[in-house]
Amino acid sequence: MAASGLGPQSGTPVPLPISARIKKFFVRLLIFSIIVPPIGLALYIWAALSFTYSSGERVGYVQKFSNKGWICKTWEGELAMVNLPGTMAQIFRFTVRDAKVAEEINATLGKRVAMHYDQHRGLPTTCFGDTSYFVTSVQSVEP
């Protein structure tokens, strides 16, 4: 009966020796430290991509648009926003993750466009894009 973890006659559990309890604690700690951080990181990334910090529209001319990245390929671009003729253009750097939106931007190169964007702050790596501004749609504003 002692092999089943019960006392010889009373049926009460026999406590594990201290070395077995320490070993059991460290095994649980190791499993916890291997499983919980990736789950926490995945939840953080999901939250950062799901919740929008800000959104809006910018109007201008796309002056640079390229597909960048070694492993995580994203479209990165620059929108030149000219407020008044003869003044310096303000540059708006943006990221596009959707291939359809990238095709629309490539089709409107050289034309004045309005881009709708969502800003996602706190992304842990540049694998999601070089900027925190993600363009979700584009339309030409020239007649």
Side-chain angles (χ1 to χ4, degrees):
M1 255 227 205
S4 66
L6 298 177
Q9 296 174 358
S10 65
T12 60
V14 175
L16 291 171
I18 297 224
S19 63
R21 283 190 274 171
I22 291 173
K23 183 179 177 184
K24 190 175 180 180
F25 170 77
F26 280 113
V27 167
R28 286 182 178 171
L29 182 66
L30 179 66
I31 290 171
F32 181 81
S33 65
I34 290 173
I35 292 174
V36 171
I39 291 172
L41 180 64
L43 286 173
Y44 175 78
I45 291 171
W46 172 81
L49 288 172
S50 296
F51 299 106
T52 302
Y53 178 74
S54 71
S55 64
E57 284 199 1
R58 303 274 176 120
V59 177
Y61 298 91
V62 177
Q63 72 176 17
K64 179 181 172 185
F65 195 57
S66 59
N67 196 7
K68 294 171 72 174
W70 291 103
I71 296 171
C72 306
K73 293 275 190 188
T74 57
W75 287 90
E76 305 294 329
E78 293 180 354
L79 183 75
M81 300 181 301
V82 180
N83 295 329
L84 297 171
T87 62
M88 289 283 294
Q90 184 179 2
I91 302 300
F92 172 67
R93 289 178 176 78
F94 62 89
T95 299
V96 177
R97 295 178 60 213
D98 187 7
K100 282 180 111 176
V101 176
E103 287 176 18
E104 292 174 10
I105 292 173
N106 276 324
T108 59
L109 287 176
K111 299 177 183 173
R112 190 169 180 184
V113 295
M115 293 185 170
H116 179 76
Y117 68 90
D118 293 330
Q119 183 181 12
H120 297 278
R121 306 253 337 233
L123 293 173
T125 68
T126 59
C127 191
F128 301 102
D130 289 346
T131 69
S132 62
Y133 298 100
F134 296 94
V135 172
T136 56
S137 66
V138 63
Q139 61 186 2
S140 179
V141 293
E142 287 187 349

